[in-house]
PDB file of all heavy atoms in Angstrom:
ATOM      1  N   HIS A 120     -31.694  16.236  -0.728  1.00  0.00           N
ATOM      2  CA  HIS A 120     -32.860  15.919  -1.562  1.00  0.00           C
ATOM      3  C   HIS A 120     -33.717  14.904  -0.823  1.00  0.00           C
ATOM      4  O   HIS A 120     -33.260  13.786  -0.559  1.00  0.00           O
ATOM      5  CB  HIS A 120     -32.420  15.354  -2.907  1.00  0.00           C
ATOM      6  CG  HIS A 120     -31.566  16.305  -3.705  1.00  0.00           C
ATOM      7  ND1 HIS A 120     -30.193  16.298  -3.620  1.00  0.00           N
ATOM      8  CD2 HIS A 120     -31.889  17.296  -4.576  1.00  0.00           C
ATOM      9  CE1 HIS A 120     -29.707  17.253  -4.421  1.00  0.00           C
ATOM     10  NE2 HIS A 120     -30.713  17.863  -5.007  1.00  0.00           N
ATOM     11  N   TYR A 165     -29.160  13.055  -8.490  1.00  0.00           N
ATOM     12  CA  TYR A 165     -28.938  14.469  -8.835  1.00  0.00           C
ATOM     13  C   TYR A 165     -27.491  14.727  -9.234  1.00  0.00           C
ATOM     14  O   TYR A 165     -26.599  14.798  -8.379  1.00  0.00           O
ATOM     15  CB  TYR A 165     -29.351  15.361  -7.649  1.00  0.00           C
ATOM     16  CG  TYR A 165     -30.832  15.237  -7.405  1.00  0.00           C
ATOM     17  CD1 TYR A 165     -31.354  14.213  -6.616  1.00  0.00           C
ATOM     18  CD2 TYR A 165     -31.721  16.089  -8.046  1.00  0.00           C
ATOM     19  CE1 TYR A 165     -32.725  14.053  -6.451  1.00  0.00           C
ATOM     20  CE2 TYR A 165     -33.098  15.944  -7.881  1.00  0.00           C
ATOM     21  CZ  TYR A 165     -33.585  14.929  -7.078  1.00  0.00           C
ATOM     22  OH  TYR A 165     -34.934  14.763  -6.935  1.00  0.00           O
ATOM     23  N   ASP A 202     -30.831  -1.274 -12.523  1.00  0.00           N
ATOM     24  CA  ASP A 202     -29.925  -0.840 -13.582  1.00  0.00           C
ATOM     25  C   ASP A 202     -29.880   0.685 -13.677  1.00  0.00           C
ATOM     26  O   ASP A 202     -28.797   1.276 -13.808  1.00  0.00           O
ATOM     27  CB  ASP A 202     -30.391  -1.453 -14.907  1.00  0.00           C
ATOM     28  CG  ASP A 202     -29.410  -1.197 -16.041  1.00  0.00           C
ATOM     29  OD1 ASP A 202     -28.195  -1.297 -15.815  1.00  0.00           O
ATOM     30  OD2 ASP A 202     -29.869  -0.896 -17.158  1.00  0.00           O
ATOM     31  N   ARG A 209     -22.876   5.395 -11.601  1.00  0.00           N
ATOM     32  CA  ARG A 209     -21.653   5.175 -12.384  1.00  0.00           C
ATOM     33  C   ARG A 209     -21.404   6.381 -13.294  1.00  0.00           C
ATOM     34  O   ARG A 209     -20.261   6.769 -13.535  1.00  0.00           O
ATOM     35  CB  ARG A 209     -21.763   3.898 -13.219  1.00  0.00           C
ATOM     36  CG  ARG A 209     -21.748   2.622 -12.381  1.00  0.00           C
ATOM     37  CD  ARG A 209     -21.949   1.394 -13.275  1.00  0.00           C
ATOM     38  NE  ARG A 209     -20.929   1.315 -14.297  1.00  0.00           N
ATOM     39  CZ  ARG A 209     -21.130   0.910 -15.550  1.00  0.00           C
ATOM     40  NH1 ARG A 209     -22.333   0.520 -15.955  1.00  0.00           N
ATOM     41  NH2 ARG A 209     -20.137   0.874 -16.407  1.00  0.00           N
ATOM     42  N   ARG A 285     -15.389  22.695 -18.665  1.00  0.00           N
ATOM     43  CA  ARG A 285     -16.733  23.077 -18.212  1.00  0.00           C
ATOM     44  C   ARG A 285     -17.036  24.522 -18.603  1.00  0.00           C
ATOM     45  O   ARG A 285     -16.187  25.392 -18.453  1.00  0.00           O
ATOM     46  CB  ARG A 285     -16.874  22.889 -16.689  1.00  0.00           C
ATOM     47  CG  ARG A 285     -16.783  21.429 -16.268  1.00  0.00           C
ATOM     48  CD  ARG A 285     -16.901  21.285 -14.756  1.00  0.00           C
ATOM     49  NE  ARG A 285     -18.217  21.691 -14.293  1.00  0.00           N
ATOM     50  CZ  ARG A 285     -18.446  22.679 -13.419  1.00  0.00           C
ATOM     51  NH1 ARG A 285     -17.440  23.356 -12.901  1.00  0.00           N
ATOM     52  NH2 ARG A 285     -19.674  22.990 -13.073  1.00  0.00           N
ATOM     53  N   TYR A 290     -23.750  27.994 -17.159  1.00  0.00           N
ATOM     54  CA  TYR A 290     -24.535  27.041 -16.364  1.00  0.00           C
ATOM     55  C   TYR A 290     -25.494  27.696 -15.380  1.00  0.00           C
ATOM     56  O   TYR A 290     -26.173  26.998 -14.623  1.00  0.00           O
ATOM     57  CB  TYR A 290     -23.603  26.118 -15.557  1.00  0.00           C
ATOM     58  CG  TYR A 290     -22.705  25.211 -16.358  1.00  0.00           C
ATOM     59  CD1 TYR A 290     -21.524  24.726 -15.802  1.00  0.00           C
ATOM     60  CD2 TYR A 290     -23.032  24.808 -17.649  1.00  0.00           C
ATOM     61  CE1 TYR A 290     -20.685  23.880 -16.501  1.00  0.00           C
ATOM     62  CE2 TYR A 290     -22.188  23.966 -18.364  1.00  0.00           C
ATOM     63  CZ  TYR A 290     -21.015  23.499 -17.783  1.00  0.00           C
ATOM     64  OH  TYR A 290     -20.193  22.663 -18.476  1.00  0.00           O
ATOM     65  N   ILE A 293     -29.063  26.542 -14.469  1.00  0.00           N
ATOM     66  CA  ILE A 293     -29.324  25.252 -13.815  1.00  0.00           C
ATOM     67  C   ILE A 293     -30.031  25.460 -12.470  1.00  0.00           C
ATOM     68  O   ILE A 293     -30.593  24.526 -11.907  1.00  0.00           O
ATOM     69  CB  ILE A 293     -28.005  24.450 -13.671  1.00  0.00           C
ATOM     70  CG1 ILE A 293     -28.289  22.947 -13.683  1.00  0.00           C
ATOM     71  CG2 ILE A 293     -27.242  24.850 -12.412  1.00  0.00           C
ATOM     72  CD1 ILE A 293     -27.054  22.083 -13.887  1.00  0.00           C
TER      73      ILE A 293
ATOM     74  N   HIS B 120     -19.007  22.647 -25.507  1.00  0.00           N
ATOM     75  CA  HIS B 120     -17.802  22.100 -24.884  1.00  0.00           C
ATOM     76  C   HIS B 120     -16.866  21.601 -25.981  1.00  0.00           C
ATOM     77  O   HIS B 120     -17.221  20.683 -26.712  1.00  0.00           O
ATOM     78  CB  HIS B 120     -18.158  20.957 -23.934  1.00  0.00           C
ATOM     79  CG  HIS B 120     -19.077  21.378 -22.819  1.00  0.00           C
ATOM     80  ND1 HIS B 120     -20.443  21.292 -22.929  1.00  0.00           N
ATOM     81  CD2 HIS B 120     -18.832  21.894 -21.598  1.00  0.00           C
ATOM     82  CE1 HIS B 120     -20.996  21.734 -21.796  1.00  0.00           C
ATOM     83  NE2 HIS B 120     -20.055  22.105 -20.974  1.00  0.00           N
ATOM     84  N   ASP B 202     -18.014   1.740 -22.724  1.00  0.00           N
ATOM     85  CA  ASP B 202     -18.930   1.569 -21.594  1.00  0.00           C
ATOM     86  C   ASP B 202     -19.116   2.887 -20.834  1.00  0.00           C
ATOM     87  O   ASP B 202     -20.237   3.263 -20.468  1.00  0.00           O
ATOM     88  CB  ASP B 202     -18.377   0.484 -20.660  1.00  0.00           C
ATOM     89  CG  ASP B 202     -19.346   0.116 -19.555  1.00  0.00           C
ATOM     90  OD1 ASP B 202     -20.553   0.021 -19.822  1.00  0.00           O
ATOM     91  OD2 ASP B 202     -18.887  -0.083 -18.413  1.00  0.00           O
ATOM     92  N   ARG B 209     -26.566   7.371 -20.737  1.00  0.00           N
ATOM     93  CA  ARG B 209     -27.744   6.712 -20.154  1.00  0.00           C
ATOM     94  C   ARG B 209     -28.076   7.364 -18.815  1.00  0.00           C
ATOM     95  O   ARG B 209     -29.250   7.510 -18.463  1.00  0.00           O
ATOM     96  CB  ARG B 209     -27.491   5.211 -19.977  1.00  0.00           C
ATOM     97  CG  ARG B 209     -27.422   4.438 -21.303  1.00  0.00           C
ATOM     98  CD  ARG B 209     -27.079   2.967 -21.045  1.00  0.00           C
ATOM     99  NE  ARG B 209     -28.060   2.347 -20.183  1.00  0.00           N
ATOM    100  CZ  ARG B 209     -27.796   1.435 -19.242  1.00  0.00           C
ATOM    101  NH1 ARG B 209     -26.549   1.034 -19.052  1.00  0.00           N
ATOM    102  NH2 ARG B 209     -28.764   0.943 -18.506  1.00  0.00           N
ATOM    103  N   PHE B 281     -37.734  13.050  -9.876  1.00  0.00           N
ATOM    104  CA  PHE B 281     -36.489  13.740  -9.509  1.00  0.00           C
ATOM    105  C   PHE B 281     -36.601  15.257  -9.687  1.00  0.00           C
ATOM    106  O   PHE B 281     -36.050  16.017  -8.900  1.00  0.00           O
ATOM    107  CB  PHE B 281     -35.313  13.226 -10.341  1.00  0.00           C
ATOM    108  CG  PHE B 281     -35.170  11.733 -10.335  1.00  0.00           C
ATOM    109  CD1 PHE B 281     -34.866  11.043 -11.503  1.00  0.00           C
ATOM    110  CD2 PHE B 281     -35.325  11.014  -9.157  1.00  0.00           C
ATOM    111  CE1 PHE B 281     -34.724   9.670 -11.502  1.00  0.00           C
ATOM    112  CE2 PHE B 281     -35.185   9.629  -9.146  1.00  0.00           C
ATOM    113  CZ  PHE B 281     -34.888   8.962 -10.332  1.00  0.00           C
ATOM    114  N   ARG B 285     -35.450  18.990  -6.917  1.00  0.00           N
ATOM    115  CA  ARG B 285     -34.141  19.653  -7.127  1.00  0.00           C
ATOM    116  C   ARG B 285     -33.967  20.796  -6.129  1.00  0.00           C
ATOM    117  O   ARG B 285     -34.896  21.549  -5.886  1.00  0.00           O
ATOM    118  CB  ARG B 285     -34.025  20.170  -8.566  1.00  0.00           C
ATOM    119  CG  ARG B 285     -33.971  19.042  -9.597  1.00  0.00           C
ATOM    120  CD  ARG B 285     -33.882  19.596 -11.013  1.00  0.00           C
ATOM    121  NE  ARG B 285     -32.609  20.283 -11.204  1.00  0.00           N
ATOM    122  CZ  ARG B 285     -32.492  21.560 -11.551  1.00  0.00           C
ATOM    123  NH1 ARG B 285     -33.562  22.304 -11.752  1.00  0.00           N
ATOM    124  NH2 ARG B 285     -31.303  22.091 -11.698  1.00  0.00           N
ATOM    125  N   TYR B 290     -27.631  25.135  -5.738  1.00  0.00           N
ATOM    126  CA  TYR B 290     -26.782  24.709  -6.857  1.00  0.00           C
ATOM    127  C   TYR B 290     -25.902  25.825  -7.426  1.00  0.00           C
ATOM    128  O   TYR B 290     -25.186  25.598  -8.402  1.00  0.00           O
ATOM    129  CB  TYR B 290     -27.636  24.166  -8.007  1.00  0.00           C
ATOM    130  CG  TYR B 290     -28.439  22.918  -7.709  1.00  0.00           C
ATOM    131  CD1 TYR B 290     -29.586  22.636  -8.447  1.00  0.00           C
ATOM    132  CD2 TYR B 290     -28.057  22.011  -6.727  1.00  0.00           C
ATOM    133  CE1 TYR B 290     -30.336  21.489  -8.217  1.00  0.00           C
ATOM    134  CE2 TYR B 290     -28.799  20.869  -6.484  1.00  0.00           C
ATOM    135  CZ  TYR B 290     -29.943  20.612  -7.232  1.00  0.00           C
ATOM    136  OH  TYR B 290     -30.671  19.484  -7.015  1.00  0.00           O
ATOM    137  N   ILE B 293     -22.275  25.525  -8.690  1.00  0.00           N
ATOM    138  CA  ILE B 293     -21.911  24.690  -9.835  1.00  0.00           C
ATOM    139  C   ILE B 293     -21.256  25.528 -10.926  1.00  0.00           C
ATOM    140  O   ILE B 293     -20.623  24.989 -11.841  1.00  0.00           O
ATOM    141  CB  ILE B 293     -23.150  23.917 -10.359  1.00  0.00           C
ATOM    142  CG1 ILE B 293     -22.730  22.590 -10.989  1.00  0.00           C
ATOM    143  CG2 ILE B 293     -23.972  24.750 -11.332  1.00  0.00           C
ATOM    144  CD1 ILE B 293     -23.870  21.610 -11.199  1.00  0.00           C
TER     145      ILE B 293
END
Side-chain angles (χ1 to χ4, degrees):
Chain A
H120 300 92
Y165 295 85
D202 187 41
R209 291 176 58 218
R285 294 179 65 240
Y290 296 156
I293 209 166
Chain B
H120 300 91
D202 187 41
R209 290 176 59 217
F281 308 138
R285 293 179 66 239
Y290 296 156
I293 209 165

